[in-house]
Amino acid sequence: MMAMEPPPRPSSALFDVYLRLRPSNSAHLRFLTVEERDDSHPTHITVRPLVNDNRKRAVERFAFTQVFEEDARQMDIFKGTGIVPMIEGVLGAPGHHGQDGLLATLGVTGSGKSHTILGTKSQRGLVQMTLDVLFQNCEEQLVQSFYGAPAFSSLAAADVSEANMFTASSYLDSMYGDNQSERFPSRANTPAPDCSFVSQGTSRSNKIPRSSTLPQAPSVADIQIPTDPTAEYAIVVSMYEVYNDRIFDLLTGNAMKSKHPNVKRRALLFKSTEQSPERKVVAGLTKIVCGSFEESMMVLETGLMERKVAGTGSNAVSSRSHGFFCVEVKKRDAQYKGSWSSSTLSIVDLAGSERARNAKTAGSTLAEAGKINESLMYLGQCMQMRADHQEGSKNVVPFRQCKLTELLFSNSFPSSTRSTQHIPPQKSIMIVTADAQGDYNATSQILRYSALAREVTVPRTPSYTSTLPTGPRPGTACSGRSTPSALLDELESSAAEIARLQQELSIFALRLSEETARRKAAEQSWAAAEDHMSTLEQEIRDECYLEMENAVDQERRRWQATLDNEQDNQQAHLDSKVDVVIKATKAQMRLEEPVKVYEDPDPEVRERNEELERENEVLRAKIEQLEREAMGRSASPIKKMRILKSKKWEDPESRLFGLDD
């Protein structure tokens, strides 16, 4: 049989996968063996089932880019996994943009993931060493980023993720206040002196971290990375976690709790923004512009204090979320001050998979474990299908099933709606941690979907062949055939499929219990809300009734007052008129002249007077006519005229009244 070699990493591969074994404190038997090689570092391991395993599973052989045994140090991991070339790629070659980098750890809970990434109280992790290498190689080319500086304004304007950007000094002052020099305990999962990976607890404090008390070893002063001499750099740090399949910012927790203690954390969205339509980003993050390694370490310590952790039966300080620590390296021409180019180094501390029976979790911790196992199952499916893509498979990688795989894979595949030709391919490193004497089932499951290659060897043990008939039954003829090996292969594959289905069944059962609990809680909340609404409705009705009664009473009083006022005014008006009449009467009585009383004449007398007036008119007209005739007969014309002129006109009425008198 040909020896299995780890396949070379093609340009389309997502991860270089390394295996790190932790020193074990377990009393269980060792089930994992490293295959030593004389010519180079080991790349293969063999996983043998335990002797007391009744299922008699197959022996599995896995291939990795490199295997680091229990005596490997942090510096061996840092230099041996290709992190230094990845940092060089993030900084970018002279005249070229940098490329994104991804460093992730994967393993069972308590296998040493957080120790590898974050280190201990006396030994640095990969995050601290990476930041130290970045700052010591480009510190002289970092721009000034204080508030009001042109560089800070341009950095904030060039950000495409709708982030809240601060300088490190202003951020730390707002979080801890002024005149704070004592640091709070670091979130160290393992003490470093004996490399035992034993977890330690942490406590929250409001003291500002002090960089002088942070671990200084191992030193990376001997690592030199070439930088672009014509460029200037800016380093921007952000941190977030994926907790219960939701994204939360780790750099806003203390500030939000101090100002609004009752406000819950707001989940962030992973989406395309107006300034970044081609690539998805975590929108609304808090980003800190760091001017030195010490500032970045204080920001790191501040974010780690907000990460969700809990004690379980498998790990005293178990990470309950997937932690993301992102370092954005901004680069632009130092002379012409053009636009900023950006490349991101993401360091991911994945939460460990765990079994509820071993971890002894319950309640919310059990729900968290279900979400963690579910996301890791989807991650395994994506990695397996990604490996199939390299072999020519056309299956679609289901990376949108959870937030973790969407964050890791969404920008790694070409899309018809966006162009990624100008974006350099991402370099990715995954470090798988394992305990050779730990949980066999969980460890072998992690190794199956993380290894670069896998080989299964079925042992010829009596456990299978003894149950098969070796000779002809009585009364039957022997066919001469032996038991086919294909049957054993089928049994092994069926057993593996049953194990996978059982794991999925446990996950689905957990999800069902979660949804049932949520439904019951929602129904109770609904019933309570209905009762509250009915009570509130009755209270509102009573208040409206009282308000309407008060309004009607006030309106009635207002109209009654108006009516009374109007009646008083009318009475006063009448009284004033009576006073005027009385005064006029008194004044008239004081005068001496008698009062003349005029009465209307009798209607019969009036008619008689009118008749007499008409008769007088007729007689007067006859007299005038007779005089004219007499004058015409006896006098000359001139004398007639004189006579006419000498006659005086008299009023007939006055003559009539004179006659009456």
Side-chain angles (χ1 to χ4, degrees), residues 1-6 31-37 43-49 58-64 440 444 447-448 451-458:
M1 180 177 62
M2 297 180 62
M4 179 184 61
E5 296 294 334
F31 58 85
L32 188 151
T33 305
V34 180
E35 299 180 9
E36 300 293 342
R37 298 179 60 177
T43 58
H44 294 75
I45 61 170
T46 302
V47 177
R48 300 180 181 277
V59 176
E60 295 177 292
R61 187 166 179 255
F62 300 98
F64 295 89
Y440 170 81
S444 59
L447 295 175
R448 285 189 189 101
L452 297 176
R454 175 190 176 202
E455 184 180 89
V456 179
T457 303
V458 180

Side-chain angles (χ1 to χ4, degrees), residues 448-466:
R448 285 189 189 101
Y449 64 72
S450 62
L452 297 176
R454 175 190 176 202
E455 184 180 89
V456 179
T457 303
V458 180
R460 302 296 181 180
T461 59
S463 59
Y464 290 112
T465 57
S466 61

Side-chain angles (χ1 to χ4, degrees), residues 377-436:
M377 181 187 69
Y378 291 140
L379 175 61
Q381 293 177 359
C382 291
M383 294 183 66
Q384 183 63 44
M385 298 191 71
R386 184 62 170 160
D388 295 342
H389 264 264
Q390 301 171 18
E391 300 175 359
S393 174
K394 300 301 182 181
N395 293 331
V396 178
V397 179
F399 60 86
R400 293 186 178 88
Q401 292 181 342
C402 69
K403 279 290 184 294
L404 174 63
T405 55
E406 191 175 6
L407 287 166
L408 294 177
F409 290 89
S410 63
N411 293 325
S412 302
F413 297 93
S415 174
S416 59
T417 60
R418 64 176 187 261
S419 173
T420 58
Q421 297 179 356
H422 64 284
I423 302 175
Q426 175 178 265
K427 180 176 177 60
S428 304
I429 298 172
M430 177 169 286
I431 301 176
V432 181
T433 58
D435 185 356

Side-chain angles (χ1 to χ4, degrees), residues 32-95:
L32 188 151
T33 305
V34 180
E35 299 180 9
E36 300 293 342
R37 298 179 60 177
D38 297 333
D39 55 344
S40 62
H41 51 73
T43 58
H44 294 75
I45 61 170
T46 302
V47 177
R48 300 180 181 277
L50 301 176
V51 177
N52 56 357
D53 188 0
N54 297 326
R55 297 176 61 180
K56 301 300 179 182
R57 286 172 282 199
V59 176
E60 295 177 292
R61 187 166 179 255
F62 300 98
F64 295 89
T65 306
Q66 183 176 345
V67 178
F68 295 91
E69 299 188 56
E70 288 87 346
D71 58 350
R73 300 170 300 172
Q74 293 287 78
M75 183 57 71
D76 298 333
I77 303 297
F78 187 75
K79 292 183 176 180
T81 55
I83 298 178
V84 175
M86 184 170 64
I87 298 175
E88 184 177 352
V90 172
L91 288 174

